[in-house]
Amino acid sequence: MATSRRWGLSAGRIGILAAVAGFLTTLWSPAALARSESLMSNYSSPQNFVLELRLGPYRPEIDSEFNGAAKPYDTMFGGGAGFYFGTEFDWQIFDFFGTLGIGGQLGFVSQSAQALTGDGMRSSADGVGFRMLPMALLLVYRLDEIALRVPWLPFVPYGKVGLNYNIWWFTQGNGDIANGFSPSGQPGRGLGDTWGYSLACGLSFMIDALDPGARTTMDADYGINHTYVFFEYNRVFANGLSRTDALRVGDSTWLAGLAFEF
Amino acid sequence: MAVPEAAAQTTAQQFSFTPGRIPVLYKKEGDTLTALRPDPQVDLKRFGKNLCDCKRPYVLNIPALMPNPQASTGNVEIWVGNTCDDISTTNGNRIDRCKQLRTKLLADFANEQNFEFTADEFLLLRDAADQKIKACLAAPGEITFWILVDIGNDGMFEFKDSSLKLGYDGVAPMGATDVKVSSGDGKISLSWSISNNDANQISNGGGYQVYCVKDADTPVLPAGRPAIFIPSCLDPPKGLLDPKYLCTDPVTGGPSALVSGLENNAHYRFAVIAYDRELNPAPLTEMSFVAGTPIPTTDGYELYRMQGGKATGGFCTARPGTGNDGPATEGKGIWLAAGLLAAIGAWTLRSAKRPNRVTNPGESVRGH
């Protein structure tokens, strides 16, 4: 009792610590490992890479440039989001209770609308659009140790940080690249690039935990160690970094997709 | 179809065509003959009512007969219709269901023979009212050419061929209705409605023609655009519209078309004509015509710039900013980010010696 008071531990706190310790012991206990071994084959091919297929909504925050004074993107394309589809490839180069990898992303963003006529109506003859090829160079950390050691907890949280480069273009009614003039008559072309950076965090669910036998087969036949479905929150700060005349094409969005480790 | 008794008695073929040859029908345009049946398996359902009405010329080529009939007496009869080899009255009077097109001496078929017809001569169909064949009816049907050899002119056919068949459909689509116009930048979008029956016909090999004309009656686009030309017996614009006013490729998809290359703020008139696989055109009515005026439109980037957006486009923005409306920048952030990334990359590569890891649940050691 005296010792407990000296360390400031109440009986309740001791109980919680004991429970946590017991839980951790259970995770890495020989019994748990043996149980896992009974479910799964020991075969495992080398694991070095991750391939992700990603999709989700995307709405470039172009109107943020105007600080509420105007909303040209909203006026043209409405309040909805466009469509993002992309892929990511990571090289897992370091292990520390998970994997640290460097990777690259390439995607495509598309949003379309009917052109505006002079009276503010929509022309069904002229479809216009905004397109973008978002690219990124990433550092990715995936905390997969728990999922690998605890078969009944097959979740892998992860985080990403990256340098982004986005090629964007606007299309006019005939499909060509759009051109536009500022109120002072300065010309511009609706094709350019914007640098930025991004942060992302997400949670992957290890699908093969549902069927260890299939995982072994996938690994043996195709070298795929694990398959995940994931949900990711992505914050892209694509404002040209230090430039003030960049098109702001970043967004806060969520993505979902499939990932394969091999 | 059951073979009539009389015909069954004369099935013994004493002649045959030159090996490898079959009767072929040619379309005649000037001195040019175009075979409509180069392949015996080809179905010749290509005849619409206009070809019949217009008396378009065709040539039927019949190969030489073997053995050489030069010494034979008798005739070769060319008929068109159904079961024209049945001379009995079991199926009614032959001349009510068939028409004799030509007769020539059997001896002449020592060599191949050509016979010229106009389309209305052989496009014969049975009238629903009196059951007699008549030319250029609208109802769909099939026509068979009969080549009958009658040695001795006794009404018994020592050779007969009925392999050349023609399809005929003179039923025109109802046509486009409720034609709508939407203006674009130098273009007009047209859309229209069609009946379900039209949709079936058009999806089965038909399409639409779109004609355009400016108010000053100037063809919108030069003649010679690739388009299906619907033959007409009448001079335009009395009958079908002059093909020089065709302004799109044939529309074979959904009931809509986009006419581009137009002048903004100019007034145009458009006509949409549906046609089926046999090139039967829908009748021109008031509903076939519509007027429209292309107008300038605004795209997303135009609007962005008009409202003061600074991005002027261009690449390699790592260099100092060149925006015309914003202050020049040095692009320091890009270089800072690139340097940071390079440092991180170097560190990770330096640390890239991977320890053995667990990659499977339940394993004590991961892969390599």
Side-chain angles (χ1 to χ4, degrees), chain A residues 237-254:
Chain A
F237 300 91
N239 52 13
L241 298 179
S242 64
R243 288 182 65 93
T244 59
D245 57 354
L247 190 73
R248 300 183 184 182
V249 293
D251 188 24
S252 298
T253 187
W254 60 268

Side-chain angles (χ1 to χ4, degrees), chain A residues 33 36-37 40-44 46-48 62 65-66 70-72 75-76 91-95 98-100 102 115-117 123-126 128 137 139 144-145 147-148 151 163 165 167-168 170-174 178-184 186-193 195 215 226 241-247, chain B residues 181-189 258 295-335 337-338 341 344-345 347-349 351-368:
Chain A
L33 295 177
S36 300
E37 284 179 355
M40 306 195 57
S41 163
N42 281 331
Y43 176 77
S44 175
Q47 175 186 315
N48 292 297
I62 291 171
E65 177 182 340
F66 300 89
K71 293 183 176 179
T75 303
M76 179 57 64
W91 177 30
Q92 297 179 328
I93 58 173
F94 189 73
D95 300 326
T99 63
L100 179 67
I102 56 175
L116 289 170
T117 59
S123 164
S124 62
D126 275 353
V128 298
L137 202 54
L139 272 178
D144 62 359
E145 199 73 11
L148 293 172
L163 175 66
Y165 177 69
I167 297 174
W168 48 262
F170 289 88
T171 58
Q172 51 183 316
N174 60 6
N179 295 293
F181 293 87
S182 70
S184 61
Q186 295 293 334
R189 188 153 192 255
L191 168 66
D193 59 0
W195 288 86
R215 190 215 70 79
H226 299 290
L241 298 179
S242 64
R243 288 182 65 93
T244 59
D245 57 354
L247 190 73
Chain B
V181 170
S182 180
S183 300
D185 197 353
K187 69 182 71 161
I188 289 287
S189 172
L258 184 66
I295 54 173
T297 58
T298 302
D299 59 59
Y301 187 69
E302 280 183 293
L303 190 63
Y304 166 82
R305 291 287 287 163
M306 281 192 293
Q307 298 191 350
K310 296 171 185 170
T312 53
F315 292 93
C316 299
T317 50
R319 60 180 166 71
T322 55
N324 293 308
D325 303 315
T329 58
E330 297 297 330
K332 289 177 183 175
I334 294 170
W335 299 115
L341 194 74
I344 293 171
W347 175 74
T348 51
L349 289 172
S351 308
K353 184 181 178 183
R354 307 188 67 208
N356 289 337
R357 299 193 65 226
V358 174
T359 56
N360 282 342
E363 287 183 15
S364 58
V365 178
R366 297 195 187 197
H368 311 287

Side-chain angles (χ1 to χ4, degrees), chain A:
Chain A
M1 182 67 73
T3 302
S4 297
R5 277 198 300 271
R6 186 175 60 192
W7 289 97
L9 297 176
S10 66
R13 287 176 178 172
I14 290 173
I16 293 172
L17 285 174
V20 171
F23 173 73
L24 291 174
T25 303
T26 303
L27 297 187
W28 281 276
S29 68
L33 295 177
R35 186 170 62 249
S36 300
E37 284 179 355
S38 68
L39 295 173
M40 306 195 57
S41 163
N42 281 331
Y43 176 77
S44 175
S45 65
Q47 175 186 315
N48 292 297
F49 306 106
V50 180
L51 177 68
E52 285 187 3
L53 302 175
R54 308 147 52 79
L55 55 87
Y58 198 97
R59 180 180 173 79
E61 49 197 16
I62 291 171
D63 290 348
S64 67
E65 177 182 340
F66 300 89
N67 295 317
K71 293 183 176 179
Y73 194 86
D74 188 83
T75 303
M76 179 57 64
F77 296 101
F83 177 78
Y84 166 87
F85 174 78
T87 183
E88 177 183 319
F89 185 81
D90 300 340
W91 177 30
Q92 297 179 328
I93 58 173
F94 189 73
D95 300 326
F96 180 72
F97 211 65
T99 63
L100 179 67
I102 56 175
Q105 272 182 7
L106 174 64
F108 179 68
V109 171
S110 175
Q111 192 157 15
S112 301
Q114 298 307 123
L116 289 170
T117 59
D119 55 3
M121 304 295 286
R122 297 282 179 179
S123 164
S124 62
D126 275 353
V128 298
F130 171 79
R131 311 280 185 264
M132 187 169 72
L133 292 175
M135 292 167 266
L137 202 54
L138 299 165
L139 272 178
V140 183
Y141 180 73
R142 300 174 193 272
L143 179 57
D144 62 359
E145 199 73 11
I146 295 175
L148 293 172
R149 291 186 178 276
V150 187
W152 51 267
L153 196 60
F155 293 97
V156 177
Y158 64 88
K160 302 175 183 177
V161 56
L163 175 66
N164 289 62
Y165 177 69
N166 305 278
I167 297 174
W168 48 262
W169 65 98
F170 289 88
T171 58
Q172 51 183 316
N174 60 6
D176 291 346
I177 300 297
N179 295 293
F181 293 87
S182 70
S184 61
Q186 295 293 334
R189 188 153 192 255
L191 168 66
D193 59 0
T194 301
W195 288 86
Y197 62 98
S198 64
L199 302 170
C201 59
L203 190 65
S204 297
F205 173 71
M206 188 185 288
I207 299 174
D208 42 68
L210 301 174
D211 188 348
R215 190 215 70 79
T216 303
T217 303
M218 289 278 283
D219 199 356
D221 292 350
Y222 304 107
I224 297 175
N225 302 88
H226 299 290
T227 305
Y228 300 92
V229 58
F230 64 86
F231 294 91
E232 176 180 313
Y233 172 76
N234 203 334
R235 181 70 181 99
V236 180
F237 300 91
N239 52 13
L241 298 179
S242 64
R243 288 182 65 93
T244 59
D245 57 354
L247 190 73
R248 300 183 184 182
V249 293
D251 188 24
S252 298
T253 187
W254 60 268
L255 300 163
L258 287 173
F260 305 93
E261 280 184 327
F262 56 98

Side-chain angles (χ1 to χ4, degrees), chain B residues 8-47:
Chain B
Q9 294 172 352
T10 60
T11 53
Q13 301 274 16
Q14 297 183 10
F15 290 98
S16 64
F17 291 130
T18 304
R21 298 284 308 277
I22 56 174
V24 175
L25 190 66
Y26 292 88
K27 180 172 64 175
K28 185 179 182 185
E29 291 175 305
D31 294 330
T32 304
L33 296 180
T34 304
L36 297 183
R37 192 198 186 188
D39 183 333
Q41 301 305 318
V42 172
D43 186 10
L44 288 177
K45 291 185 176 178
R46 297 180 56 86
F47 287 85

Side-chain angles (χ1 to χ4, degrees), chain B residues 250-308:
Chain B
V251 179
T252 55
S256 63
L258 184 66
V259 185
S260 55
L262 305 179
E263 180 185 339
N264 279 339
N265 301 315
H267 298 291
Y268 294 88
R269 285 176 291 139
F270 303 88
V272 178
I273 298 178
Y275 61 87
D276 62 13
R277 182 177 61 172
E278 289 79 17
L279 300 184
N280 293 304
L284 277 172
T285 68
E286 288 298 320
M287 288 187 293
S288 308
F289 293 91
V290 70
T293 303
I295 54 173
T297 58
T298 302
D299 59 59
Y301 187 69
E302 280 183 293
L303 190 63
Y304 166 82
R305 291 287 287 163
M306 281 192 293
Q307 298 191 350

